Amino acid sequence: MLRVTIELWPGGRESGKRVIATADIARVKNGALADYEVELRESLLDDIGVGEVAHVRTYPRWSASVWDLVGRCIAAALNGGKEELPGRPVLPEVPVHVSRDGRAYVRLREIPEPSRTLFENNLRGSGCPFVLDDPEPRDCAWSHDWQDFLNGYR
């Protein structure tokens, strides 16, 4: 089995490293044309579907770098079993709302996954607005916090 580990080194310092994702690749059929299973795990996204098993079938062993196999396995896991990358993601378009008192906010329920989960985890311990004129007043975040998150400042 191969395990690919993704570590985050905050500020480039190894001392603060933490594992944020892994890919487990297992050969399930031997031979010149082998079959593999791959399972991706991401520490912040376990609850939204990451972790499903994908397959790469009849892979010609010893014909390319191990990175070719790893790349194809990751692509298959991300794209419903196809050995190609899905379309390039784009920043989510999230409407900014303005409360009656003029404060700009976003509705968490309008942020698509996985951005919503990542942003909510990022907000832990931060102050969030209670917007009385919103139908779900506790489901909001400051617009500037959302922009800071997208720009990598939070």
Side-chain angles (χ1 to χ4, degrees), residues 28-39:
V28 295
K29 180 183 160 257
N30 273 331
L33 299 175
D35 291 348
Y36 294 87
E37 284 183 351
V38 60
E39 184 174 2

Side-chain angles (χ1 to χ4, degrees), residues 3-22:
R3 171 166 278 179
V4 179
T5 303
I6 309 296
E7 294 179 340
L8 178 65
W9 290 23
R13 292 182 306 277
E14 185 178 9
S15 62
K17 74 180 178 183
R18 62 185 171 107
V19 174
I20 60 170
T22 58

